[in-house]
Amino acid sequence: MLSPIKTVRAAVIGIALAGATITAMPAQAQPSFSFEFNIGGDRFHQRHCLTDKQVRKFLRWQGYDDIRFIDRKGRYVTVRAERGRRDFRITVDTCRARIVDIDRIRRRH
């Protein structure tokens, strides 16, 4: 069995050899490492935006029905949706999953 000092020495030598191997690789073969911490489920750090299906689900969760897409401009989509007896035009930031504008269109009879 190795003593604690010999174990530490072996670990240091192993790390040094691994580092030498990585630095000896050509630039194209360099491994890439990335770390991402997502604390509290903040959607700002997500790399993807909501799909149309996810936008519909999000707005239904907010209480809207009969959701129809009017305009799609990059990360912002505009929909027409009903809530209660009223119609609204809603603009959604699909990358942050947030409603950025709501306009009441007309009162339904």
Side-chain angles (χ1 to χ4, degrees):
M1 184 157 197
L2 293 175
S3 69
I5 294 174
K6 288 184 179 181
T7 304
V8 171
R9 282 184 192 164
V12 169
I13 291 171
I15 291 171
L17 289 174
T21 303
I22 290 174
T23 57
M25 291 182 184
Q28 295 89 355
Q30 288 285 340
S32 63
F33 301 98
S34 64
F35 298 95
E36 183 175 330
F37 296 99
N38 190 4
I39 300 171
D42 187 6
R43 292 177 181 247
F44 178 75
H45 296 290
Q46 288 184 348
R47 293 184 180 166
H48 69 281
C49 299
L50 299 178
T51 63
D52 289 353
K53 185 177 179 180
Q54 291 170 326
V55 169
R56 284 182 195 275
K57 186 175 181 179
F58 170 69
L59 290 173
R60 283 193 185 112
W61 185 72
Q62 298 289 325
Y64 294 96
D65 295 317
D66 193 24
I67 300 159
R68 294 159 286 179
F69 286 85
I70 299 171
D71 194 12
R72 294 176 179 93
K73 291 182 181 174
R75 66 188 273 177
Y76 297 99
V77 297
T78 303
V79 300
R80 185 173 182 150
E82 296 177 4
R83 188 174 193 183
R85 295 185 53 167
R86 297 180 181 197
D87 288 349
F88 296 90
R89 185 176 60 230
I90 304 166
T91 303
V92 177
D93 181 343
T94 61
C95 294
R96 293 188 180 207
R98 293 185 180 156
I99 295 174
V100 293
D101 190 32
I102 301 174
D103 294 318
R104 190 171 75 192
I105 297 173
R106 64 179 166 87
R107 179 174 224 130
R108 296 179 55 194
H109 298 284

